[in-house]
Amino acid sequence: MPPTDRPPAWKTLMAFAIIYFVWGSTFLAIRVGVREVPPFLLAAMRFLVAGLVLFGWTMARGERPPSRRQWASLSLLALLIFALDYGLLFWAEQRVPSGLAAVLLAMIPAFMALSEIVFLRTQRLTVRLALALLMGLAGVAVLVSRSLNLGGLPIDTRGAIALLVASMSWSVASSFARMLPLPSSKVMSSGAQMLAGGIFLGLTAAALGEFRNFHPSAVSRGAWFCLLYLIVAGSIIGFTAYVWLLHHESPTKVGTYAYVNPLVAVLVGYFLGGEALGPRTILGTLFVLISVVVITTTPAKKPAVAPLAEEQL
């Protein structure tokens, strides 16, 4: 449904700038942070604080807390999105440049398309989609291949695998989110997920012994600033801008962040992080971004038989 009252153009531009540039720059902030703070612990601190702020804010406004059944759904999504997706992203950025981490994570729409084809059955495998998926895989191959003579070092194999698993985890969570009972308020739902995700990440950090290797006094101001930036700008402000845009712009326009963020991350990593930007990075990034653009702009083609999840509703 189109919005009845159009907000001022400057507000819309500001919100898009936030989800484009702030979210794109968080990848470099993560890479700086994990140089001094263990990855799962850093992720836990980010999402525990951000989740507490968002969840507490919604409760203060008088919104109903999630039911027991909704908490079960939120916990499952938190496990997939935060413990797996973000946890693996933070871990991988110890080994993979921030810009290329963003590029590999941009494969999420490709895995979401596969989920829709295989599990939800809300999409059919067309020639257009097949070519887009192959181009995305070709981009990944360019970035990790050791046989291609394109200059620059290939991505660390373990880091690349972790990022692809992270992308798959997010796509699975997105598929589940359409079928699980969740709070009607997006802010309440996301705040609760961040809170639960922060707890899962903290437990993972404890199980891996990261608390033993963490000495707050040894962490530089720059790393603490990156954590603050991730919490305030990346999670709280970024998410608020995202939800606001969803209420005033079409999902297609808002979804453009999926292929703008990796480009921003690559440029920020190059200019501010000293990361390489050679033929390998440019070609691999180009293939992945073309794949993402084609997939996200392909209209859904539902089959004649409704999927099981829709039949149960």
Side-chain angles (χ1 to χ4, degrees), residues 50 69 101 149 215:
R69 188 181 180 198
N149 186 18
H215 304 286

Side-chain angles (χ1 to χ4, degrees), residues 34-161:
V34 297
R35 289 173 182 166
E36 301 182 38
V37 182
F40 288 94
L41 180 56
L42 182 68
M45 289 189 286
R46 173 187 179 179
F47 293 114
L48 266 176
V49 175
L52 281 171
V53 170
L54 290 174
F55 185 76
W57 180 63
T58 55
M59 291 294 290
R61 292 179 59 194
E63 295 190 22
R64 295 179 59 184
S67 65
R68 184 176 299 180
R69 188 181 180 198
Q70 289 172 340
W71 270 118
S73 300
L74 292 167
S75 297
L76 174 60
L77 295 178
L79 184 64
L80 292 170
I81 294 174
F82 295 97
L84 279 176
D85 178 81
Y86 277 106
L88 289 174
L89 168 63
F90 277 61
W91 181 86
E93 286 214 38
Q94 298 175 114
R95 297 163 170 77
V96 178
S98 62
L100 295 184
V103 170
L104 287 180
L105 214 61
M107 288 295 291
I108 288 173
F111 292 119
M112 287 180 67
L114 287 174
S115 296
E116 291 183 350
I117 293 169
V118 177
F119 300 112
L120 296 179
R121 299 181 184 178
T122 56
Q123 185 65 275
R124 288 175 178 165
L125 183 61
T126 62
V127 173
R128 172 189 170 108
L129 270 179
L131 290 176
L133 292 170
L134 288 174
M135 180 163 286
L137 293 175
V140 174
V142 167
L143 294 175
V144 302
S145 175
R146 299 182 181 277
S147 59
L148 292 176
N149 186 18
L150 293 172
L153 295 174
I155 294 178
D156 177 83
T157 303
R158 290 186 300 169
I161 292 173

Side-chain angles (χ1 to χ4, degrees), residues 91-291:
W91 181 86
E93 286 214 38
Q94 298 175 114
R95 297 163 170 77
V96 178
S98 62
L100 295 184
V103 170
L104 287 180
L105 214 61
M107 288 295 291
I108 288 173
F111 292 119
M112 287 180 67
L114 287 174
S115 296
E116 291 183 350
I117 293 169
V118 177
F119 300 112
L120 296 179
R121 299 181 184 178
T122 56
Q123 185 65 275
R124 288 175 178 165
L125 183 61
T126 62
V127 173
R128 172 189 170 108
L129 270 179
L131 290 176
L133 292 170
L134 288 174
M135 180 163 286
L137 293 175
V140 174
V142 167
L143 294 175
V144 302
S145 175
R146 299 182 181 277
S147 59
L148 292 176
N149 186 18
L150 293 172
L153 295 174
I155 294 178
D156 177 83
T157 303
R158 290 186 300 169
I161 292 173
L163 290 166
L164 291 177
V165 172
S167 300
M168 293 178 193
S169 178
W170 184 290
S171 67
V172 171
S174 299
S175 299
F176 283 164
R178 303 183 189 186
M179 300 178 285
L180 295 173
L182 298 171
S184 57
S185 167
K186 287 185 173 62
V187 181
M188 170 64 80
S189 179
S190 294
Q193 286 180 55
M194 286 185 193
L195 184 57
I199 294 172
F200 286 140
L201 286 163
L203 292 174
T204 303
L208 295 175
E210 290 188 349
F211 286 94
R212 294 195 300 271
N213 300 323
F214 178 60
H215 304 286
S217 59
V219 178
S220 67
R221 291 182 181 179
W224 285 123
F225 174 80
C226 286
L227 175 60
L228 183 64
Y229 182 77
L230 290 169
I231 293 170
V232 178
S235 294
I236 298 174
I237 296 177
F239 175 73
T240 302
Y242 175 72
V243 171
W244 185 86
L245 280 171
L246 287 177
H247 285 85
H248 294 91
E249 297 291 335
S250 69
T252 301
K253 285 185 179 180
V254 179
T256 54
Y257 80 88
Y259 40 89
V260 176
N261 284 171
L263 181 59
V264 171
V266 169
L267 294 176
V268 169
Y270 174 70
F271 287 107
L272 299 182
E275 297 176 358
L277 185 60
R280 180 190 298 274
T281 299
I282 294 173
L283 186 60
T285 300
L286 183 63
F287 279 3
V288 171
L289 293 187
I290 291 175
S291 171

